[in-house]
Amino acid sequence: MTRESPYEALLSRMSRSSEEMVELIRKQNTIIEAQSRTLNALQARSDEHRGMLEVLGRIGLRDILADAREVIQSRQMGMMETVEQVAEGKSIARWGDGEIKLMLQPEFDLMYQKGFPALAAELKEMLSSYDDDSSRIILAMPTFFSSRLWMGIFAENWHLLRPILEESRSKWGNTHVSRPLFFQRHGRDAVEAWRRVWNDRRICIIAGRGSKFELLPDLFDNVASVERIDSEPADAYVTLPDLKHKLRAVSDIDLFLIALGPSGTVLAGYLSSEEGGGHHAIDIGHLASSYLNVFKGGRTPEQLPTRAAP
């Protein structure tokens, strides 16, 4: 019998080790595949349960949702009509989920704006006195949705929001004129509608310091001139008195564009008032980010950091 050489013995052990490793990897892959099938099944079951909960939620909130839809949409302009009226000279202040919660839920804070009783009071007063101010400013409400987010908002707040909305009879604008939905539904017509608002006008941008607001050429290359005034990137409401004082010194401006969250809502109301100088003011929010999301494949405004990269 021929004795195996040390080199041959080493090769034999390496071959057995390789076969054992291959077998181990095969078993691991089998386990991973089984775990993946289990996770997929659990995800599908979770999605099914979530869908069932949404259906049950809509059934349970059917009367509230129907009432909210009727109260809001029965007197709401379309998005294009809203922008057309802004182009004719009306200012606009917008309410979204953040403004509604800050107005009605004392314990609620946004990531970039803490709740303050004075802020809640200003937001309520603007809605309550809308009929007196509707000749100069449009107050905008969101398009009605029955998503999980909005079902929660209506479930918690509709009994408080409804009486405030019914203190006026003027038509609401549509908050989504500066959101992706406007560009999704109206395409380039939405871009051109906004460009007509500031065509050949001297504009002043009011935004948080380091904010993600961009003067995109496709939206803004037809303005006559641009000035920018920075506010605080977070909790801007606290510094609104100082900002208002600074704005009194601004001259030769045709249009103020405000990207300042809920503080922008109340600032648009102030700037358009007699006390604030009777200016043309637009609470423009995430317009630039919404444009990039729809036309350039950018992230939605909610997916972006609250501040632009330095």
Side-chain angles (χ1 to χ4, degrees):
M1 179 177 180
T2 305
R3 185 179 179 85
E4 189 177 49
S5 71
Y7 177 70
E8 290 173 331
L10 176 61
L11 289 178
S12 178
R13 288 196 299 273
M14 290 176 64
S15 177
R16 287 195 301 271
S17 295
S18 297
E19 291 172 358
E20 290 170 356
M21 182 64 69
V22 169
E23 179 62 18
L24 179 61
I25 291 173
R26 187 190 66 77
K27 290 180 179 179
Q28 287 178 330
N29 287 340
T30 300
I31 293 171
I32 290 171
E33 290 173 0
Q35 290 176 333
S36 178
R37 288 193 296 271
T38 300
L39 288 173
N40 288 337
L42 290 173
Q43 182 64 53
R45 187 174 301 174
S46 175
D47 291 342
E48 182 180 351
H49 288 169
R50 188 179 297 110
M52 291 177 63
L53 286 174
E54 284 192 33
V55 171
L56 292 173
R58 289 191 178 93
I59 293 172
L61 295 171
R62 180 171 50 197
D63 292 342
I64 290 176
L65 295 176
D67 192 41
R69 182 190 297 272
E70 172 63 23
V71 169
I72 294 173
Q73 290 197 325
S74 64
R75 47 187 278 214
Q76 186 176 45
M77 307 174 200
M79 288 181 283
M80 191 61 74
E81 181 186 357
T82 301
V83 179
E84 288 170 353
Q85 289 210 14
V86 173
E88 292 171 3
K90 282 194 175 183
S91 296
I92 184 170
R94 302 173 309 108
W95 271 254
D97 59 299
E99 286 77 16
I100 291 173
K101 288 182 177 181
L102 284 172
M103 183 174 68
L104 300 175
Q105 298 177 202
E107 75 286 357
F108 180 76
D109 292 330
L110 285 172
M111 180 170 58
Y112 54 88
Q113 177 61 69
K114 293 179 181 178
F116 293 100
L119 173 56
E122 286 202 59
L123 290 168
K124 289 179 185 177
E125 175 58 26
M126 288 178 70
L127 294 175
S128 298
S129 61
Y130 186 23
D131 285 344
D132 296 331
D133 303 326
S134 59
S135 61
R136 61 176 173 82
I137 189 169
I138 298 169
L139 304 188
M141 289 288 130
T143 294
F144 181 85
F145 291 109
S146 59
S147 61
R148 286 197 303 274
L149 169 67
W150 282 100
M151 282 195 294
I153 290 171
F154 288 131
E156 293 178 333
N157 300 295
W158 185 240
H159 66 293
L160 299 172
L161 181 60
R162 190 183 200 274
I164 298 172
L165 298 184
E166 293 197 318
E167 289 188 46
S168 66
R169 290 291 179 266
S170 301
K171 292 186 71 173
W172 308 115
N174 194 303
T175 289
H176 291 271
V177 291
S178 64
R179 302 285 300 172
L181 186 64
F182 186 37
F183 295 116
Q184 290 165 358
R185 290 191 177 177
H186 294 280
R188 293 294 310 181
D189 288 341
V191 176
E192 293 306 316
W194 273 121
R195 286 173 61 86
R196 285 192 291 273
V197 172
W198 44 71
N199 184 51
D200 203 28
R201 302 187 75 191
R202 299 165 297 181
I203 68 172
C204 178
I205 306 294
I206 305 170
R209 188 169 51 255
S211 78
K212 55 199 174 188
F213 186 87
E214 295 182 64
L215 281 172
L216 303 172
D218 199 25
L219 284 169
F220 296 103
D221 67 2
N222 61 333
V223 301
S225 64
V226 178
E227 183 173 342
R228 175 163 176 150
I229 296 178
D230 284 336
S231 180
E232 293 302 311
D235 296 329
Y237 184 74
V238 175
T239 61
L240 270 191
D242 292 337
L243 180 59
K244 291 176 181 178
H245 179 74
K246 186 184 298 185
L247 289 170
R248 291 189 193 106
V250 176
S251 60
D252 299 324
I253 294 297
D254 301 314
L255 178 63
F256 288 90
L257 303 182
I258 310 164
L260 210 57
S263 297
T265 302
V266 298
L267 185 59
Y270 168 78
L271 285 173
S272 66
S273 70
E274 184 178 350
E275 178 189 4
H279 298 289
H280 193 188
I282 299 176
D283 171 21
I284 203 165
H286 295 297
L287 182 72
S289 300
S290 298
Y291 168 89
L292 291 173
N293 170 245
V294 174
F295 290 102
K296 305 298 182 180
R299 290 181 289 176
T300 63
E302 290 76 16
Q303 293 174 324
L304 293 168
T306 56
R307 299 185 66 187

